[in-house]
Amino acid sequence: MNEYYRNELTYQSAKVSNGSNPEKNLPQNNNPVESNDELSELRSLLLGVETAQLSKLYDRLENPQIQAEDLSRLLPEAVILRTMQDKQLAEAMVPTVEQAIQSSVKQDLNVLSEAFFPIIGPASRKAITTVLGEMIQSLNQTLEHSMSPQSFKWRLEARQTGKTFAEVVLLRTLIYRVEQVFLIHKQTGLLLQHILAPQVAAQDPDLVSAMLTAIQDFVKDSFNIEKGEALQSLQFGELSIWIEEGPQAILAGIIRGNAPQELRLVFQKAIENIHLKLHREFHVFTGETKLFTPSKPYLEECLEARYKVPSQKNYIYAWSFLSAIAIALGMWSFFSFREQLRWNAYLEKLNSQPGIIVVKANKGYGKNFISGMRDPLATDPYLLMNQAQINPQTVISQWEPYLSLEPQIIVKRATELLQPPKTVSLKADENLILYATGTAPRQWILEARKTWRFLPGVTQYIDKNIVESELQQLQLYKQQIEQEKLLFLEGTTEFIPGEIAKLQNIVLAIKNLSSVAKTVGKDVRFEITGHTNFTGTEQRNMVLSQARASKILAYLSSQGINTSNFTTVGVGSSQPLQTGLTEQIQKVNRRVSFKVLLIDARN
């Protein structure tokens, strides 16, 4: 192995020293000793290692007892030497590095992901920002030129020249554009690399390179040019050629339009970076241009172009267009979403309505289709549609009639058939039993007991909680009569002032009660009771109380009331309304009271 390295180093040194054709490029020297010294010096300069160091390295490689520690110090120097000679070491290490990466990924993927994360994140954001900015700028430029009067002239030019409208716009709005970039070897004039801008017609790059070299040599030979000076630019109509020289190469760019001087800095930076990265390739150059492929990224940085694009504050066309689209999409989405919510609410409301069964509902061709079954007594779907704020013109409905047995529909059907008064409430349960509660005329109650059997689905009718309105009225008259009290003067059957008016109300109430009682099959009995206070003897009070009751009975008879069902009784002071000896208590105890008895009439 040591012998291999020694032979390889000797071969590469000889190759480097002879590869540049010393007969042509080096001065002739007939002295072999002096020539060997010069070759040794050239080998040292090219390889970057002193001859003594090479000798030392050979000796150490030939030592079989070399230790791992010595080898660790030797390996970096060997790697550097091999890398300076060719790319075989890098190619040999590729499989090893790939296997190491694959092994690392299999063991723990997070190691590489965490290593690349700080790079991928900023790079992704920068790429997205760049693409978005270019899109906005391109859109704004297209809209501006498409809407301007000048665009019609450009469209005509595109039709005449056979170019696309976009190409004409680019040409007419161009400020400058670097169309081609050449990297030329300074000593030989050979073309090392050439890149071309998109949509630019290519010429023979070798021919252009030779022409530039010839022009530059002509200028240097024909004019008095000081050492270090060089041709910097050429002008051919609207084309300019800018030239930047480096120690080993020349960078030439063909520019259309008027480029700013700041572009010079881009060219200078590119040629500097190329020399920094490819200085070894320049030193060992023998005509192989593939060695300079890594220079393409630096050359591509020179392919700049600038157009008459509105400034950032004038992106009104693009932003207005995008804003209009966004607003239109937003409004469309809002209205669509709102209509969908309304439609869903309408369907939910329909499904909750008794007597309505939705079988199918879908949308298509800008219309809403709905079909199902509906009881004639169910809620009108179009009323619900208006409540849900849905345009009926956008809905196509198809409802098949049927008889619903839902409790709510049964109540509606019973109400329509029985026509109950407002004082009656109808209710149906899940067993299809119909209940009636409240008050109603006797005639309606009797009719309802016959008619309910015509209601579809109703299994039973219960009205035990319904009260005849006549009976209710009868009770009201009864309470009115029994609440009346007629007051008398002390020891007499004469009324105190104002009691005569009470008699008129009592007479009217008795007549109404008697009339209503006949309609409901009730017999009425009236009892008139006379009372006195505690003054006087009990015997005298009994006689006085009876006389007061009889007086009232005589008055009622005089008013045309049949008194055959009336009885009178005097109780003296045995049933006082209030107890005590005050004047007010004595006054209210001198009275006549009434009692009404309602009994079923005999057939």
Side-chain angles (χ1 to χ4, degrees):
M1 178 176 177
N2 294 341
E3 183 65 24
Y4 167 79
Y5 276 116
R6 184 167 61 83
N7 294 337
E8 181 68 17
L9 290 175
T10 304
Y11 168 74
Q12 293 296 337
S13 299
K15 179 181 178 181
V16 169
S17 61
N18 297 327
S20 58
N21 195 357
E23 287 81 9
K24 177 180 179 181
N25 297 322
L26 296 177
Q28 298 294 326
N29 189 354
N30 295 324
N31 190 346
V33 176
E34 184 179 355
S35 176
N36 290 335
D37 293 340
E38 291 178 353
L39 290 176
S40 299
E41 182 180 359
L42 178 59
R43 185 184 303 109
S44 299
L45 291 174
L46 291 175
L47 296 178
V49 182
E50 297 293 338
T51 305
Q53 292 177 326
L54 288 175
S55 177
K56 181 180 179 181
L57 181 60
Y58 294 152
D59 295 341
R60 296 183 67 181
L61 288 174
E62 292 174 352
N63 184 6
Q65 304 298 326
I66 186 169
Q67 301 296 321
E69 181 179 356
D70 295 332
L71 183 61
S72 66
R73 290 192 296 268
L74 179 63
L75 279 177
E77 298 178 5
V79 170
I80 292 174
L81 288 174
R82 187 60 181 178
T83 304
M84 292 173 59
Q85 294 171 8
D86 53 34
K87 296 183 179 180
Q88 291 185 6
L89 179 61
E91 294 175 354
M93 293 179 66
V94 167
T96 303
V97 174
E98 290 178 347
Q99 293 178 2
I101 293 175
Q102 292 177 356
S103 177
S104 175
V105 170
K106 290 180 180 179
Q107 292 179 2
D108 188 358
L109 182 62
N110 295 327
V111 175
L112 286 180
S113 63
E114 291 177 359
F116 285 117
F117 176 77
I119 302 173
I120 294 176
S124 300
R125 290 193 295 270
K126 183 177 180 181
I128 293 172
T129 303
T130 303
V131 171
L132 183 59
E134 291 176 353
M135 182 193 71
I136 294 295
Q137 181 174 349
S138 175
L139 176 60
N140 185 77
Q141 182 178 1
T142 302
L143 289 173
E144 181 185 24
H145 295 311
S146 297
M147 298 176 181
S148 63
Q150 197 174 25
S151 65
F152 297 101
K153 178 180 178 182
W154 290 344
R155 291 184 187 278
L156 180 60
E157 181 180 348
R159 182 181 295 274
Q160 293 175 347
T161 59
K163 298 180 179 179
T164 64
F165 175 69
E167 291 175 338
V168 174
V169 170
L170 291 177
L171 289 175
R172 296 309 174 197
T173 58
L174 179 67
I175 298 176
Y176 75 88
R177 178 176 62 180
V178 180
E179 296 186 344
Q180 300 183 59
V181 179
F182 300 85
L183 182 64
I184 305 171
H185 192 259
K186 187 175 181 180
Q187 184 175 3
T188 63
L190 295 177
L191 178 65
L192 302 179
Q193 287 296 323
H194 169 245
I195 58 173
L196 196 66
Q199 299 180 351
V200 173
Q203 297 83 19
D204 186 357
D206 292 318
L207 182 62
V208 175
S209 173
M211 178 196 69
L212 291 176
T213 303
I215 293 174
Q216 193 173 30
D217 292 341
F218 170 76
V219 172
K220 289 181 179 180
D221 295 339
S222 302
F223 301 95
N224 187 15
I225 303 299
E226 296 182 3
K227 185 178 182 181
E229 294 183 351
L231 183 64
Q232 293 185 342
S233 64
L234 296 173
Q235 187 77 31
F236 300 95
E238 62 177 0
L239 292 178
S240 300
I241 302 177
W242 283 14
I243 301 173
E244 286 294 333
E245 284 195 10
Q248 304 292 336
I250 298 172
L251 189 149
I254 298 179
I255 305 170
R256 185 180 298 274
N258 298 318
Q261 288 300 317
E262 290 79 2
L263 187 61
R264 285 282 186 185
L265 298 178
V266 178
F267 281 26
Q268 293 172 2
K269 184 178 180 181
I271 194 67
E272 290 171 358
N273 289 333
I274 291 173
H275 277 78
L276 181 63
K277 184 175 181 62
L278 304 174
H279 66 280
R280 297 189 188 94
E281 285 77 358
F282 282 120
H283 285 294
V284 299
F285 177 68
T286 59
E288 182 60 42
T289 61
K290 290 184 178 179
L291 299 175
F292 298 92
T293 302
S295 66
K296 281 190 175 181
Y298 303 106
L299 298 178
E300 290 174 352
E301 292 178 357
C302 300
L303 290 179
E304 288 193 3
R306 185 175 299 175
Y307 299 88
K308 295 178 182 178
V309 179
S311 60
Q312 189 71 20
K313 64 180 181 180
N314 291 330
Y315 281 173
I316 185 172
Y317 294 101
W319 287 119
S320 299
F321 181 70
L322 291 177
S323 299
I325 293 178
I327 292 173
L329 289 176
M331 293 180 63
W332 177 80
S333 301
F334 170 76
F335 287 116
S336 298
F337 182 69
R338 187 183 66 177
E339 289 300 319
Q340 186 62 41
L341 288 180
R342 290 177 176 178
W343 179 249
N344 293 339
Y346 173 65
L347 291 179
E348 184 177 354
K349 187 71 173 178
L350 274 180
N351 285 318
S352 65
Q353 291 297 312
I356 294 180
I357 300 177
V358 177
V359 177
K360 187 177 181 181
N362 52 30
K363 303 182 69 174
Y365 304 103
K367 295 285 185 178
N368 296 312
F369 300 91
I370 186 169
S371 60
M373 297 186 296
R374 174 179 174 268
D375 190 285
L377 296 178
T379 304
D380 189 352
Y382 286 98
L383 295 179
L384 299 177
M385 203 177 298
N386 293 329
Q387 294 176 4
Q389 298 181 346
I390 295 178
N391 185 5
Q393 302 296 328
T394 63
V395 180
I396 298 177
S397 304
Q398 185 177 2
W399 301 104
E400 296 293 335
Y402 86 111
L403 289 179
S404 173
L405 297 181
E406 295 179 74
Q408 297 93 328
I409 299 300
I410 288 179
V411 170
K412 285 187 177 183
R413 189 170 290 113
T415 302
E416 189 176 77
L417 178 64
L418 302 178
Q419 295 293 317
K422 295 181 179 180
T423 54
V424 174
S425 174
L426 299 178
K427 182 181 178 181
D429 61 11
E430 295 179 354
N431 297 321
L432 304 181
I433 299 176
L434 182 64
Y435 297 89
T437 58
T439 61
R442 181 181 179 84
Q443 183 65 30
W444 182 88
I445 294 174
L446 297 177
E447 290 293 333
R449 289 173 180 173
K450 298 177 182 178
T451 311
W452 73 268
R453 302 180 187 278
F454 297 99
L455 292 172
V458 177
T459 59
Q460 188 178 356
Y461 174 72
I462 299 177
D463 63 351
K464 64 181 180 179
N465 291 327
I466 195 167
V467 179
E468 297 180 11
S469 58
E470 291 86 353
L471 290 178
Q472 189 178 30
Q473 190 65 39
L474 201 64
Q475 291 295 329
L476 291 177
Y477 289 140
K478 179 178 181 294
Q479 292 177 6
Q480 181 182 353
I481 294 171
E482 290 180 343
Q483 288 176 357
E484 291 293 346
K485 304 291 188 294
L486 298 174
L487 303 181
F488 295 84
L489 294 175
E490 176 71 32
T492 68
T493 59
E494 299 295 329
F495 295 112
I496 65 175
E499 294 300 296
I500 300 296
K502 293 181 179 179
L503 281 172
Q504 298 298 325
N505 294 333
I506 293 173
V507 170
L508 181 61
I510 290 174
K511 290 181 178 180
N512 290 335
L513 186 145
S514 300
S515 176
V516 173
K518 291 180 180 179
T519 62
V520 296
K522 296 288 185 180
D523 286 337
V524 184
R525 298 288 185 268
F526 297 94
E527 186 179 286
I528 303 174
T529 305
H531 302 270
T532 64
N533 57 20
F534 296 104
T535 61
T537 63
E538 186 62 28
Q539 183 178 1
R540 186 175 179 277
N541 287 339
M542 291 293 292
V543 173
L544 181 58
S545 62
Q546 182 64 48
R548 288 173 176 172
S550 299
K551 180 177 180 178
I552 298 302
L553 180 61
Y555 178 81
L556 295 177
S557 179
S558 67
Q559 297 297 317
I561 296 176
N562 183 10
T563 58
S564 61
N565 55 342
F566 281 78
T567 59
T568 60
V569 61
V571 295
S573 60
S574 62
Q575 297 179 9
L577 186 63
Q578 296 180 10
T579 59
L581 300 176
T582 62
E583 179 62 26
Q584 183 63 29
I585 292 175
Q586 296 293 339
K587 178 181 178 181
V588 298
N589 286 334
R590 300 190 297 268
R591 71 192 189 281
V592 168
S593 61
F594 301 88
K595 187 175 182 180
V596 180
L597 300 175
L598 299 175
I599 58 177
D600 293 333
R602 295 180 181 178
N603 296 332

